[in-house]
Amino acid sequence: MSLPKEDPQKDPQQNPQKAPGTDPEPGAVSRRQLIDGRLVGADATFASLNPATGKVLGHAPEATEEQAREAVAAARRAFDTTDWATDTELRYRCLDQLHSALVEHREELRELTIAEAGSPRLLTYAAQLDEPIELVRYYADLLKNRSLVEDMGVVEYQGQRHHRWVEWEAGGVAAAIIPYNYPNQLALAKLAPALAAGCTVVLKSAPDTPLVTLALGEIVARHTDIPAGVVNVLSSSQAAVGEVLTTHPDVDLVTFTGASPTGRRIMAAASDTVKRVFLELGGKSALVVLDDADFKGAATYAAYMICLHSGQACAITSRMLVPRRHHDAIVAQVARRLERVPCGDPNDPKTYMGPLISERQRDKVDGMVRRAVAAGATLVTGGEKAEGPGYFYTPTLLANVDPDSEIAQEEVFGPVLAVIPYDDDDDAVRIANNSIYGLSGAVHSADRERALAVARRIRTGTFSINGGNYFFADTPFGGYKQSGIGREKGVAGLEEFMERKTFGEVVA
């Protein structure tokens, strides 16, 4: 069974308009939003482009502020007047159905993710699709097996015996706002724990990848028993819809993944109604190569990490800190590997790095590289817009980077690695911590204890030792400092969507 494709000629609400200077790809379609159990369009649409070709892939409804309010009202009603929040058996069954439906439609979602996000096919077998689908299974099983009651025992107090316990209950109506880079991972990392917790959700897609997220909404509507209003999915290219979700008094909590400046604005907007806010924001993570490390192995790790989804990932190590006396040798090793990274058509199973998401993002990356060179960094390789259609940018290596410069401090979100020399371990830790961010990091060393000593001094929420992977369904993910508040995935990810209620009673 394939994902339904809506015919715009049969729907007067849909009026796809070709974006200026672009041509639609064959089979370009429109998708629908999910509001209060109904798949609906909007009076206007906006185009979603294939970043590998620059052509129109399809059209998404341009949600209005009124539709955003309707979605919040539906979520509020479903939370307040149905037993969704208290019926764990229903929630388990619905999550089980959602997982099965995602598995059934996996290949259609794979093709859509490759086309809309520009993701290499290779990556869809991991964090772009297959792993997020299993997040749904993880949270279904966690709901089934985890007790929602914590017994605190009995204490004597003023001549009486008092029994205390804590119950976990749903946090309420959740607004979830996601960016474009990993649309399935980001949507399901919010949706699955929220549903397991008993929340109702209004999910807003990213403007650059609306079709993937709307497809998830269609699957919810058509293949699960999730009641009307429990899941609502909106698409919009306008900031006003997000503002409704972050300020509406009927929204209890906001979960956002994206840039730190936007996260700060969301915190401010949510403060008037004292909403719970948890944020997964930007990063400028450091890879520290100690002087006893395998330089070839570290160079391979650095090159392939910075090219992962064209550098469009918040936790990648975009700063490489190397011993000053080995700087040139390590730079040469990294350059050779960057020049061999398979780049090109994301449909090709051999491609490791595809395009950036848009011309706007490519211009931003190119501008930062040019300013870095003007500020004194050495351009070793890359630094060019690739010829031909699509938004490709060559893997780029900058050496002798000033640790206080823009390219070392600001998130690029592109395949640009900045190499920074350091003097000793203390200097490396100082430079690594010289950032407003604290999302991730890595260290390479032949001495495990030395590596751990460095890792434990760097203030980040996640860390890789000698290439170790920390990103799994059961491990919490999030950052320190301006990289965010709270954690996604694992038990911690479930608890972000829940409240604790403490009880006490007098017992005989």
Side-chain angles (χ1 to χ4, degrees):
M1 183 182 299
S2 63
L3 287 168
K5 293 183 170 72
E6 306 295 344
D7 182 354
Q9 300 302 318
K10 296 179 180 179
D11 181 5
Q13 289 186 307
Q14 299 287 355
N15 182 28
Q17 300 294 321
K18 188 173 75 171
T22 62
D23 294 310
E25 294 198 338
V29 296
S30 294
R31 296 263 176 220
R32 298 195 183 222
Q33 303 176 106
L34 176 60
I35 301 176
D36 201 10
R38 296 176 295 112
L39 293 172
V40 300
D43 291 337
T45 64
F46 63 99
S48 176
L49 305 185
N50 182 329
T53 65
K55 292 184 177 181
V56 174
L57 178 66
H59 294 84
E62 186 72 84
T64 64
E65 293 175 61
E66 181 56 33
Q67 285 182 315
R69 286 188 282 269
E70 289 174 7
V72 171
R76 185 80 264 166
R77 175 194 52 75
F79 186 82
D80 291 342
T81 66
T82 76
D83 59 357
W84 174 258
T86 56
D87 190 339
T88 55
E89 291 185 4
L90 171 62
R91 300 206 303 274
Y92 175 81
R93 183 174 82 246
C94 290
L95 282 166
D96 186 59
Q97 291 170 339
L98 179 58
H99 176 259
S100 296
L102 290 169
V103 170
E104 180 183 358
H105 294 287
R106 187 197 309 264
E107 296 313 312
E108 296 101 314
L109 288 170
R110 191 181 315 282
E111 299 306 318
L112 184 56
T113 302
I114 293 167
E116 188 172 45
S119 169
R121 183 173 296 275
L122 183 70
L123 192 53
T124 67
Y125 295 102
Q128 278 287 16
L129 181 62
D130 286 5
E131 289 173 3
I133 288 175
E134 293 312 306
L135 267 178
V136 180
R137 176 80 272 149
Y138 170 81
Y139 280 109
D141 293 342
L142 186 61
L143 172 62
K144 187 175 184 178
N145 298 319
R146 182 178 186 270
S147 174
L148 298 179
V149 179
E150 181 182 2
D151 194 298
M152 305 296 290
V154 176
V155 298
E156 297 283 346
Y157 180 70
Q158 294 184 348
Q160 293 180 310
R161 301 176 73 242
H162 298 262
H163 177 223
R164 299 87 35 77
W165 73 96
V166 176
E167 295 183 4
W168 291 82
E169 58 185 44
V173 175
I177 303 173
I178 62 173
Y180 63 80
N181 53 332
Y182 286 82
N184 297 302
Q185 166 67 36
L186 296 163
L188 292 173
K190 298 179 189 303
L191 189 60
L195 297 181
C199 290
T200 58
V201 183
V202 181
L203 171 66
K204 179 186 175 296
S205 71
D208 289 305
T209 53
L211 304 180
V212 174
T213 307
L214 292 174
L216 295 177
E218 291 180 2
I219 288 173
V220 167
R222 289 187 162 94
H223 301 288
T224 76
D225 294 329
I226 294 175
V230 169
V231 175
N232 305 270
V233 182
L234 304 176
S235 58
S236 176
S237 63
Q238 305 300 316
V241 168
E243 291 171 4
V244 170
L245 301 183
T246 57
T247 60
H248 200 293
D250 284 340
V251 171
D252 297 298
L253 59 97
V254 178
T255 171
F256 169 77
T257 299
S260 294
T262 306
R264 291 192 288 268
R265 291 195 295 272
I266 286 174
M267 285 187 71
S271 66
D272 283 347
T273 48
V274 197
K275 301 183 193 307
R276 292 177 61 194
V277 175
F278 62 101
L279 309 168
E280 198 270 282
L281 305 176
K284 194 68 184 177
S285 302
L287 162 59
V288 179
V289 181
L290 299 182
D291 57 15
D292 63 349
D294 172 6
F295 292 162
K296 291 182 179 179
T300 300
Y301 179 91
Y304 279 84
M305 182 61 71
I306 199 63
C307 292
L308 184 68
H309 196 29
S310 304
Q312 297 170 121
C314 52
I316 60 170
T317 45
S318 55
R319 293 182 294 159
M320 187 179 192
L321 279 52
V322 303
R324 192 176 300 277
R325 66 181 179 278
H326 298 297
H327 173 276
D328 292 351
I330 294 174
V331 165
Q333 295 270 10
V334 177
R336 283 196 292 272
R337 284 155 178 79
L338 278 178
E339 290 165 357
R340 294 199 298 263
V341 171
C343 303
D345 181 3
N347 279 292
D348 187 336
K350 296 180 181 179
T351 294
Y352 183 83
M353 191 183 103
L356 291 167
I357 192 65
S358 66
E359 184 67 25
R360 178 187 66 255
Q361 181 62 21
R362 186 169 68 169
D363 286 345
K364 177 203 168 187
V365 171
D366 189 56
M368 291 187 74
V369 170
R370 292 177 182 278
R371 290 195 297 276
V373 173
T378 302
L379 177 61
V380 180
T381 187
E384 296 178 336
K385 298 179 181 180
E387 295 182 1
Y391 312 125
F392 294 88
Y393 198 79
T394 54
T396 300
L397 180 62
L398 296 167
N400 290 301
V401 171
D402 181 342
D404 294 319
S405 64
E406 178 194 46
I407 202 71
Q409 291 291 321
E410 298 297 327
E411 190 172 39
V412 179
F413 234 57
V416 180
L417 181 64
V419 180
I420 303 171
Y422 68 84
D423 295 322
D424 55 25
D425 289 10
D426 288 343
D427 193 36
V429 170
R430 179 189 64 78
I431 294 170
N433 284 329
N434 177 30
S435 174
I436 64 171
Y437 301 110
L439 186 56
S440 192
V443 63
H444 283 241
S445 172
D447 184 335
R448 179 178 181 273
E449 293 306 313
R450 184 183 176 197
L452 280 172
V454 168
R456 287 173 174 148
R457 294 172 63 193
I458 297 174
R459 291 184 52 76
T460 67
T462 58
F463 218 92
S464 169
I465 307 292
N466 288 325
N469 184 14
Y470 53 76
F471 197 76
F472 295 96
D474 59 349
T475 50
F477 177 79
Y480 292 9
K481 300 190 281 186
Q482 292 189 37
S483 284
I485 299 171
R487 295 294 183 269
E488 287 190 334
K489 305 198 291 105
V491 174
L494 178 68
E495 292 177 353
E496 293 288 357
F497 291 95
M498 304 190 84
E499 294 279 12
R500 299 174 180 87
K501 182 176 288 184
T502 304
F503 292 85
E505 64 176 344
V506 175
V507 296

